[in-house]
Amino acid sequence: VREITSSVYEVTLADGRKRQLRRMITAIGSHVKSLTRVEQAGLFLGNLRPGRWRELTGTEKNILRNKFSQLSDQPLDED
C-alpha cells in the first residue's frame, strides 16, 4: 500500500478482486469511493476505457506467453 494523498492510495494485489479490496478497506473502518485497475497480468491499461479493447503489442504478447509458460510448469493444487 502506498499513500498518494490523504484520500488516495495505491494498492497492489497479487491475486484478488475489487470486492476483496473493498472488504479489506471496510475492515479498517474506512470506505471506498472508487477503484481503478491500472494493470492486469503485467499489462498496463493506460488510457483504455472500461469495456474497450485494443490489440496487444508484440512485447505484451511475450509477457503473457512467459507468464503462462511459467504457470504450466507448476503442479496443480489438488483439493
Side-chain angles (χ1 to χ4, degrees):
V1 176
R2 182 170 70 99
E3 185 175 12
I4 307 297
T5 69
S6 62
S7 61
V8 176
Y9 293 86
E10 180 181 292
V11 179
T12 302
L13 294 177
D15 184 30
R17 304 187 189 282
K18 288 183 175 184
R19 188 176 310 124
Q20 176 186 3
L21 185 56
R22 287 182 190 278
R23 288 182 188 141
M24 291 167 46
I25 299 299
T26 300
I28 62 169
S30 194
H31 71 280
V32 176
K33 183 176 178 181
S34 68
L35 293 172
T36 304
R37 185 181 310 251
V38 296
E39 178 186 354
Q40 178 72 36
L43 307 178
F44 288 93
L45 303 178
N47 60 358
L48 191 63
R49 308 279 304 167
R52 304 300 298 175
W53 64 276
R54 63 172 176 76
E55 296 288 333
L56 295 175
T57 66
T59 300
E60 291 170 330
K61 290 176 185 177
N62 288 333
I63 289 170
L64 292 178
R65 282 187 193 106
N66 289 335
K67 281 189 178 293
F68 286 109
S69 70
Q70 291 170 2
L71 287 175
S72 66
D73 294 340
Q74 297 176 3
L76 296 175
D77 289 337
E78 297 290 330
D79 289 337

